[in-house]
Amino acid sequence: MILLIYAFALSALFIFFSFLIEWIERKIVARIQSRIGPFFAGPRGLLQPLADFLKLMSKEDIVPIGADELLLTIIPILLASLATFVLMFIPIFTPDPLISYPADLIYIIGLSASIGALIVMTGYINPGPYSNVGAARFGELFLSFEIPFAVSVAVPAIISGSASIAEIVKFQENGIPIIVFAPLGFILLLISLIAKVEKVPFDIAEAETEIAGGWQVELSGRRLAFYRLTMNLETLFAAALCVALYLGAGYGPLLDTLGSAMYFVWFFIKLILVVFVISLIEGIMARLRVDQVLRIFWRYMVPLSFLQLILALFVRLIITL
Amino acid sequence: MVTFWDIALTFIGTLIFFTILFFMGTRKREKAREALMPFTSGEKYHPMRIPYRIKWIYYVALFSAYETATIFTILAISAGYSLILPIIYVFLLLVALIIAPVE
């Protein structure tokens, strides 16, 4: 029963954080493009993501003719639940996450991969050409970024000698984050995660000017609200994963004197920094072509990720000596 | 450390939360059939599906499962765990890879 209450409370909290992340991201991108960004809803537009969500939730619910209504109801709920559930494995508030067991990192890789597969499915259950093309493009992108993503997630596990996120975080307790041992792994993870959350320059599956929003084009109302929420939660997951695996989680100065509250403060500062980098890339870059994206991932990222994997094995060997 | 049931319960809790949230969204009455557009985007042409191969979706699903299995094996080797479980897992996935396209 307590776990159910925790799950409810954490789900609400993660939604709040995902809105906050969206606000930060929109503000940064707006500043880069000489705009003000969200402004009217709440102080400095802080409540704009919430207002957008509520607006979509209250809009007319349209299911295109020929689409599977049942699947279009189940998949958004499942996607948002999965995106929240994976966040519960990451120690954001204290060094011990809500859920932890040996090899939970593998579980996270599997769950986040199933999110990708569900997105591909969404595009195909809508009978629109744009939607189908968007799904096919996301499928190609998904196959391209998953190998560098999975390998760069495995690198901290190899270096720390454990596939448990809590153990990887504890490994960085001494003040040396894993990015020091594997900087290439961090860069690969960050690039793969930008593709995973479909941000510019890897937003080929949405590409509004080419395919009018891709796999999302036929979605409206609460379904679109849930898909957008999932994307925000995934961005939060991406940033939190980078912080937990490579940037020393919530460990930093003053932790001993100020206690565990400082852990969260450090985690949050690092999280904002990762979001800042993602937004910066989004703001200054243009969308790549499909062939360019595939070339980047298959020709450069995949071999580099295997190189990083070999280097990580060497690092582990040196640590254990 | 948590048990399998704790994890399942947490996921069910999350699922219930989002199901409630989803159904809290207004479901306005749908338009009359003749007024209904085939697409949300407002296009008036008939709905049509681009021909695609179902094997492609199988491939995407199996790829994600296989990739997880590979990482499972890599980590099991590097951490010196027993290789029995990953081997069974990889074997089952290989069987799935062979069966899926046939079906």
Side-chain angles (χ1 to χ4, degrees):
Chain A
M1 193 63 196
I2 292 168
L3 269 174
L4 271 178
I5 296 165
Y6 264 130
F8 268 63
L10 275 181
S11 301
L13 199 63
F14 286 140
I15 290 176
F16 164 75
F17 276 123
S18 72
F19 286 151
L20 187 66
I21 295 290
E22 189 194 335
W23 177 78
I24 293 168
E25 199 185 316
R26 284 169 70 172
K27 273 286 185 192
I28 293 167
V29 174
R31 289 287 172 193
I32 292 167
Q33 295 169 347
S34 298
R35 293 185 287 112
I36 296 171
F39 188 72
F40 292 106
R44 293 193 170 268
L46 196 64
L47 298 177
Q48 191 61 51
L50 176 67
D52 289 346
F53 180 75
L54 292 176
K55 184 198 78 177
L56 280 174
M57 286 292 279
S58 61
K59 282 185 90 172
E60 191 179 7
D61 196 26
I62 303 170
V63 178
I65 297 168
D68 193 322
E69 191 173 355
L70 182 67
L71 277 177
L72 273 180
T73 305
I74 294 170
I75 293 177
I77 297 172
L78 205 57
L79 273 173
S81 308
L82 282 171
T84 310
F85 187 56
V86 288
L87 276 164
M88 291 179 188
F89 287 90
I90 300 176
I92 297 175
F93 305 103
T94 60
D96 297 308
L98 175 69
I99 310 168
S100 173
Y101 73 97
D104 51 12
L105 201 61
I106 298 161
Y107 197 51
I108 274 194
I109 294 172
L111 283 176
S112 69
S114 63
I115 292 175
L118 283 172
I119 288 175
V120 174
M121 218 168 145
T122 306
Y124 279 125
I125 55 177
N126 276 310
Y130 292 130
S131 192
N132 285 189
V133 171
R137 280 189 180 197
F138 188 81
E140 283 168 2
L141 185 68
F142 173 74
L143 296 182
S144 310
F145 70 68
E146 272 298 312
I147 295 175
F149 166 72
V151 172
S152 52
V153 164
V155 164
I158 291 169
I159 292 173
S160 65
S162 170
S164 157
I165 299 178
E167 291 296 320
I168 294 169
V169 167
K170 264 187 197 142
F171 177 81
Q172 302 172 86
E173 202 177 10
N174 56 7
I176 305 170
I178 288 177
I179 191 172
V180 175
F181 302 110
L184 182 62
F186 174 72
I187 294 165
L188 293 171
L189 181 66
L190 193 68
I191 295 171
S192 315
L193 285 170
I194 292 171
K196 203 174 177 65
V197 293
E198 288 185 75
K199 300 279 181 209
V200 179
F202 302 116
D203 62 332
I204 54 164
E206 288 176 19
E208 283 178 11
T209 47
E210 295 168 39
I211 48 172
W215 59 271
Q216 292 185 12
V217 71
E218 302 301 337
L219 302 166
S220 66
R222 54 188 177 172
R223 292 187 175 87
L224 185 60
F226 261 59
Y227 277 103
R228 289 206 171 167
L229 179 66
T230 304
M231 283 299 146
N232 287 343
L233 286 164
E234 275 218 284
T235 311
L236 177 64
F237 165 71
L241 197 68
C242 283
V243 174
L245 296 183
Y246 280 96
L247 299 178
Y251 294 109
L254 297 173
L255 193 66
D256 296 331
T257 47
L258 291 172
S260 59
M262 206 57 206
Y263 176 90
F264 173 66
V265 172
W266 276 115
F267 199 101
F268 195 68
I269 290 169
K270 291 172 186 178
L271 192 88
I272 299 297
L273 273 174
V274 174
V275 173
F276 179 76
V277 173
I278 293 174
S279 309
L280 203 65
I281 293 168
E282 193 184 350
I284 59 173
M285 288 196 78
R287 185 187 312 120
L288 296 168
R289 289 196 316 265
V290 181
D291 63 308
Q292 287 172 329
V293 171
L294 296 185
R295 196 180 307 129
I296 285 173
F297 279 101
W298 286 105
R299 196 172 283 179
Y300 304 108
M301 298 275 287
V302 172
L304 280 174
S305 64
F306 287 126
L307 176 72
Q308 177 58 76
L309 192 71
I310 295 162
L311 288 174
L313 287 167
F314 274 113
V315 170
R316 179 69 196 156
L317 201 68
I318 293 163
I319 289 171
T320 47
L321 278 177
Chain B
M1 204 57 70
V2 291
T3 62
F4 168 77
W5 294 110
D6 292 335
I7 296 169
L9 207 64
T10 315
F11 181 65
I12 290 166
T14 318
L15 206 59
I16 294 168
F17 177 85
F18 281 102
T19 310
I20 294 168
L21 191 67
F22 185 82
F23 286 102
M24 271 164 72
T26 315
R27 192 180 173 183
K28 285 187 183 169
R29 219 167 53 164
E30 282 184 20
K31 289 173 186 169
R33 193 76 181 167
E34 58 272 14
L36 203 66
M37 293 288 186
F39 295 120
T40 310
S41 52
E43 299 284 356
K44 284 186 180 174
Y45 50 84
H46 292 290
M48 60 156 226
R49 283 186 189 276
I50 291 176
Y52 59 88
R53 287 177 303 165
I54 197 76
K55 277 183 190 171
W56 164 243
I57 300 174
Y58 273 135
Y59 186 75
V60 170
L62 287 170
F63 176 86
S64 56
Y66 209 78
E67 151 209 64
T68 313
T70 313
I71 298 301
F72 198 177
T73 318
I74 291 170
L75 292 179
I77 294 165
S78 65
Y81 293 141
S82 164
L83 273 174
I84 295 167
L85 270 176
I87 287 169
I88 294 170
Y89 194 46
V90 172
F91 173 74
L92 287 174
L93 281 168
L94 272 171
V95 172
L97 266 175
I98 297 161
I99 294 170
V102 177
E103 291 200 349

